[in-house]
Amino acid sequence: MKNESNTQLKRSLGLSTVMLSVIGMVIGSGVFFKPQAVYTITGGAPGIGLLIWVFAGLITLFGGLTTAELAASIPKTGGLVSWVEKCFGKGLGYLLGWCESVVFWPANVGALGTIFSIQALKLVGVDSKYTISFAIFMVFFLIVCNCLGANVGGMIGNVFTVAKLVPLAVIILMAFTSTQSSPENLTPFIHTGDSFIAIFATGMLTCMYAYDGWIHVGNAAGEMKNPKKDLPKAIVLGLSIVILVYAVINIGYLLVIPADQLANTATPAADVAAKLLGGNIGAKLITVGILIAVFGTLNSNIMMGMRIPYAMGVQNKLPFSKQFAYLHPKYATPVVSGIFLLAVTSIMIISGSYNSLTDMCMFVIWIFYTIAFYGVIKLRRDEPDLKRPYKTPCYPLIPILAILGGLFVVVITVFTQPVNALVGVGLTLLGLPIYLSRKDKFKDLSHLDEDNGEASETD
């Protein structure tokens, strides 16, 4: 095994970088495409659609406020995996790490790479037959960038997270000031005779996907200067900004185009921009905005996804663990984990199964989210003297609300996507034989995370 200096990630990330990573992980293609799905579900009723967006954000914020306690108390590289393992043991933590390593992150990266490729080629008028090859190239390019140091990946994330907010800000500003806007478009709340419960439940499930990604910023705790203090702040501040952006941009959409028309277009943001800015110019400008958003989200997913195989490698949890634990001698980045992510992601892109795999994995990951929410309550009971630099406010109300929200997402998925739910669980359980064969070989390398970075809090 290499000495500690060769397996220790550099603590170079500050509060602003990680907060922007939270925003970058969440705000991606969903803000541009999900309104169509939401207002289709509501039957063109805008009021309940807006309520769904806000309520989904609140459930996410409850989850953020809850897991921030775990992030501060257990500031280890691996994030959610480390938290689940601490609270519930190595077996459950291993299955989560396996799921994230071979399904969740590769599927998400593959889906985002493909969306970026489709939009970019369409914008410049290149034949769609190059979609797969360009998608793989983009993933390769960003993995190389992230292998050049955590600061390089963080810088790309910062730039594109800020940049992706620019087109959203333009739409919001113009929508709220344009003479083409109509406040009447914000009514009715719900159409007479519609089932509030059915619409709300299905719409919530759709919106939760648009909010996903925030929890995985904990994967970079080992590279933060002051994770115990800054990670909870990054999660809460980042999610608060996302909720505000989602609520305001949807009001902006509705002021320009009625909900029943948004429900009939696959590109609601582009249609709004076209009406506000005029024809093809507006549509092309928003397409550039979509590319910026997806590029930033893709980079954030790659940056976080590379850390899970590395964290499992340093603990000897994977076949070829020594290779997964390797860090570049100059940049101290998990290069082998990046190569592994590229390989699995490329297979998913080529197979064309990334969308179904993402749906399957979302179901499984929400099971683990809910388990983590309960972990806060369990850890308070099991280790009352554990140092907690941050405590979840309004305890135990907020953790209970987070658990109920998580159970809601899981149960609705079982009823609406039973096949994906079953297959997702099956793929995750494939990691069980590997766990049983290697559990006696695991190494306790928690000392690599003991330095909680009391250095400068600034970037």
Side-chain angles (χ1 to χ4, degrees):
M1 191 68 184
K2 298 183 184 300
N3 60 42
E4 183 172 320
S5 64
N6 288 331
T7 56
Q8 179 90 48
L9 291 167
K10 290 183 178 180
R11 293 190 177 276
S12 56
L13 304 179
L15 172 61
S16 63
T17 294
V18 181
M19 182 187 72
L20 287 170
S21 290
V22 173
I23 298 171
M25 293 282 284
V26 177
I27 297 181
S29 58
V31 71
F32 298 104
F33 296 109
K34 285 300 181 180
Q36 186 267 342
V38 171
Y39 298 116
T40 296
I41 292 169
T42 67
I48 188 174
L50 290 173
L51 179 65
I52 289 170
W53 277 104
V54 173
F55 198 82
L58 290 176
I59 292 296
T60 304
L61 184 57
F62 292 152
L65 289 168
T66 301
T67 54
E69 180 170 320
L70 295 176
S73 304
I74 316 168
K76 295 182 178 181
T77 299
L80 182 61
V81 174
S82 297
W83 308 340
V84 170
E85 184 173 295
K86 170 74 172 179
C87 297
F88 299 98
K90 293 181 178 180
L92 201 56
Y94 187 91
L95 288 180
L96 171 56
W98 170 265
C99 172
E100 290 195 340
S101 296
V102 303
V103 183
F104 183 80
W105 290 111
N108 280 335
V109 171
L112 288 166
T114 301
I115 289 173
F116 183 89
S117 180
I118 291 172
Q119 292 291 329
L121 296 181
K122 182 178 179 181
L123 179 66
V124 298
V126 175
D127 196 306
S128 60
K129 68 181 181 180
Y130 297 107
T131 297
I132 291 177
S133 57
F134 187 62
I136 294 175
F137 169 77
M138 288 307 304
V139 173
F140 166 76
F141 171 74
L142 282 175
I143 286 178
V144 170
C145 290
N146 278 273
C147 285
L148 295 177
N151 280 334
V152 176
M155 180 183 66
I156 293 174
N158 288 355
V159 171
F160 279 87
T161 296
V162 173
K164 78 169 65 176
L165 296 177
V166 172
L168 294 176
V170 170
I171 291 178
I172 291 171
L173 179 62
M174 295 193 66
F176 278 85
T177 58
S178 174
T179 56
Q180 301 181 70
S181 299
S182 175
E184 288 77 14
N185 291 348
L186 301 178
T187 57
F189 177 78
I190 188 172
H191 291 300
T192 304
D194 288 346
S195 171
F196 175 85
I197 295 177
I199 291 174
F200 189 80
T202 309
M204 273 284 295
L205 182 60
T206 298
C207 281
M208 294 308 291
Y209 291 139
Y211 279 102
D212 190 65
W214 54 273
I215 201 169
H216 305 292
V217 74
N219 294 357
E223 293 166 273
M224 292 184 67
K225 298 173 184 177
N226 193 350
K228 286 191 174 182
K229 183 177 181 181
D230 289 346
L231 187 53
K233 288 182 181 179
I235 292 174
V236 174
L237 291 175
L239 282 178
S240 298
I241 292 172
V242 170
I243 294 170
L244 179 63
V245 170
Y246 278 12
V248 175
I249 192 65
N250 272 273
I251 293 174
Y253 290 157
L254 291 167
L255 287 174
V256 179
I257 297 180
D260 57 348
Q261 294 182 32
L262 289 175
N264 293 320
T265 174
T267 56
D271 288 0
V272 169
K275 186 171 181 180
L276 289 172
L277 301 174
N280 291 331
I281 295 178
K284 287 186 176 181
L285 284 174
I286 205 61
T287 298
V288 172
I290 292 172
L291 289 173
I292 291 172
V294 175
F295 186 89
T297 306
L298 177 58
N299 175 75
S300 295
N301 275 260
I302 288 173
M303 182 179 178
M304 299 302 167
M306 287 170 57
R307 271 64 188 171
I308 295 299
Y310 163 78
M312 297 184 74
V314 296
Q315 297 177 71
N316 202 31
K317 290 182 175 181
L318 295 173
F320 308 105
S321 284
K322 185 176 181 179
Q323 285 71 34
F324 280 107
Y326 171 78
L327 294 178
H328 191 281
K330 179 179 180 181
Y331 302 113
T333 50
V335 176
V336 175
S337 291
I339 295 173
F340 175 77
L341 178 63
L342 175 63
V344 180
T345 298
S346 298
I347 293 172
M348 291 188 176
I349 291 175
I350 293 171
S351 69
S353 61
Y354 48 83
N355 281 328
S356 59
L357 284 171
T358 300
D359 291 342
M360 297 170 199
C361 194
M362 283 302 301
F363 166 74
V364 177
I365 209 67
W366 265 99
I367 294 177
F368 286 107
Y369 286 175
T370 308
I371 289 172
F373 300 155
Y374 174 67
V376 172
I377 297 175
K378 184 176 184 297
L379 201 60
R380 287 230 190 167
R381 183 183 67 239
D382 295 347
E383 299 188 32
D385 297 327
L386 179 68
K387 186 177 180 181
R388 293 175 171 84
Y390 164 90
K391 289 187 177 182
T392 302
C394 302
Y395 180 89
L397 177 60
I398 286 182
I400 290 173
L401 291 174
I403 291 169
L404 292 175
L407 290 174
F408 174 83
V409 173
V410 171
V411 171
I412 291 299
T413 305
V414 170
F415 280 103
T416 60
Q417 303 179 31
V419 175
N420 283 340
L422 180 63
V423 177
V425 171
L427 287 173
T428 300
L429 291 178
L430 288 178
L432 189 58
I434 298 178
Y435 166 73
L436 293 175
S437 68
R438 299 191 65 85
K439 64 178 182 177
D440 296 329
K441 304 176 183 178
F442 291 176
K443 295 182 179 179
D444 182 8
L445 299 179
S446 58
H447 64 281
L448 297 181
D449 288 300
E450 286 177 357
D451 175 16
N452 288 325
E454 298 302 328
S456 171
E457 298 171 17
T458 63
D459 290 342

